Amino acid sequence: MTQRSRVASAVVFGFTTLCMTLLIAGGGSGTTAYASDFSIVHMSDFHMDPFYGTENAYGTCTNSSVPALGISGCDASETLVASAIADLAKTVAALEAAGKDVLVIYTGDYLRHQMKDTPGDPIANAQRIYGTIMDLFKKAHLTPSSTTSSLAFADGPAAAVDDAALTKKNRLATTIAVLPALVAVEGNEDFVPHYHFNVSAPGENALLNWTAATMQQYGFLNSDQADQFSQCGFTSRRVGPLPSTGATFRVLHLNTVLWSPLLKPSITTGDPCGQLAWMETELDAARAAGDMVYIQGHIPPSKHYYWYSILDAYLALIQSYDDVIAAQFFGHTHRLEFGGMGGQDGCSGTPPMFGAGAVTRKSWSTPQYSVMDADASTGEILSLYTRYLDPSLSGAWVSNDANRLETVLQIPNLQTCNLYNAGYALLQDSNSSFWPFFTLHMGGFVPNEQTCDSHCREKIACTTIAFTKKQIDECST
């Protein structure tokens, strides 16, 4: 592989989904396990608790004697978040040194659980968490101000994209990011109180407005994108071209809270904030431009999490654009997950879905994130392994490279058809893939207090192949 001298990053953050997308052009030579010039690193769910180790902490970590890197049942300390970001930076550097272009995706939940219960001003506490995490990314050289890239930030504040002849809509659709492009899309715990957003008053959420302004201040959003994001918490970026292939892709950052039955004030009909209509417009533009698309959100599509009518409309929409959408990325469940998202034959209809495990230990999982190899021309995900925190609390992060997802599932690659078939295979009592997958699912290490009976196994397997109420009911019978 030829050495490239230019280093580019495109970072896209999500707040529950503050979704971070970081594109880095490979700058060196090296050997890798898979013949791919493009890697995606997917991290999610920090749930940083600034009161960790005090009486005001979330969970049971309410005294100063708790380990700095956390214990099961507690949200993440700043030390744990800093450790995860530092390891992320090392992983990105290693991939870049191997000559790869790298996309980093963060799918949300920066804030600890129950921010409304924090002492003092909960909004000020939320801003403190965001600011701390932004500083950690800056120290890890994952922000525009800390990169040494020689490529232009084509849609940043200083870019020549504000031609008076262009409308705001055209500027949003045509500009391209090739430096860190941090884009925020909100999720449940990143609203305070959680799940609270008034669809009838777009642009009037104080924390969302502050977040948009902060992202613009850090250089991750231009003024048009910040304005769009401040309305209802969704926006998009075009990133590229990849130095390895010249491909350009579009990342759609969704506000999945708008589709949740837990949204307050509640809304049960229609298309909240017009997000589905906006998606269709973006996908049409991507198809016309020849862009590949990644969908990035926090709450994954399922009858457990979306209004049924919204879920049906979302699945129908992505089925209609399966030639454009390369993959979907979500968080929220605190577990590594995959979804075949297939049509009736299981092998066509919708792109694959990948859920990242969490950094927080709140749900008794091991802190982890995913590293994927992708096709640099089509964006298709080829392979996935995880990095997780050594359960000995030594502070070391280790790779689970020998147990890649496709190896554990005994499939040749991560195409929709193979994932769909693998999900059905996990339901079989005789299937040898389940327990190795359960280990990945939990973060590379299964804590002693975690078991999985037949009901647990059925629930996990059905999650990979069933999304609508009808599909889930049929899977579990």
Side-chain angles (χ1 to χ4, degrees), residues 72-96:
S72 293
C74 297
D75 270 334
S77 64
E78 181 178 339
T79 300
L80 176 55
V81 173
S83 174
I85 291 174
D87 193 74
L88 168 66
K90 291 178 182 178
T91 297
V92 168
L95 292 167
E96 183 270 331

Side-chain angles (χ1 to χ4, degrees), residues 210-363:
W210 179 90
T211 300
T214 301
M215 293 301 99
Q216 185 177 355
Q217 178 183 351
Y218 270 84
F220 292 114
L221 296 176
N222 66 27
S223 60
D224 290 334
Q225 291 155 347
D227 179 65
Q228 183 184 47
F229 174 75
S230 68
Q231 297 302 302
C232 288
F234 56 83
T235 192
S236 68
R237 296 302 298 264
R238 288 185 73 209
V239 182
L242 294 183
S244 58
T245 63
T248 298
F249 58 90
R250 188 176 305 231
V251 184
L252 305 190
H253 311 280
L254 307 181
N255 181 359
T256 52
V257 169
L258 298 176
W259 298 338
S260 171
L262 299 178
L263 175 69
K264 303 294 182 183
S266 180
I267 181 170
T268 60
T269 60
D271 179 12
C273 282
Q275 185 170 218
L276 285 169
W278 167 81
M279 279 185 67
E280 187 168 10
T281 298
E282 288 286 328
L283 291 167
D284 280 337
R287 181 180 278 163
D291 294 348
M292 56 182 176
V293 172
Y294 289 125
I295 291 178
Q296 197 173 20
H298 180 68
I299 304 173
S302 167
K303 74 110 173 179
H304 297 299
Y305 302 130
Y306 289 12
W307 284 109
Y308 292 172
S309 60
I310 290 289
L311 177 62
D312 289 343
Y314 175 83
L315 294 177
L317 182 63
I318 62 173
Q319 280 183 321
S320 298
Y321 291 90
D322 66 329
D323 60 313
V324 175
I325 304 168
Q328 305 165 87
F329 302 98
F330 296 94
H332 188 62
T333 65
H334 298 184
R335 301 287 190 267
L336 184 144
E337 295 185 332
F338 68 89
M341 302 284 288
Q344 290 188 355
D345 62 355
C347 296
S348 63
T350 58
M353 179 184 72
F354 299 94
V359 173
T360 181
R361 294 175 176 269
K362 184 257 183 186
S363 300

Side-chain angles (χ1 to χ4, degrees), residues 68-69 79-80 82-88 90-91 361 366-369 386-400 443-445:
L69 291 173
T79 300
L80 176 55
S83 174
I85 291 174
D87 193 74
L88 168 66
K90 291 178 182 178
T91 297
R361 294 175 176 269
T366 303
Q368 67 160 324
Y369 62 93
T386 63
R387 284 186 62 79
Y388 63 94
L389 187 65
D390 187 330
S392 70
L393 295 181
S394 66
W397 289 74
V398 295
S399 286
N400 210 0
F445 174 81

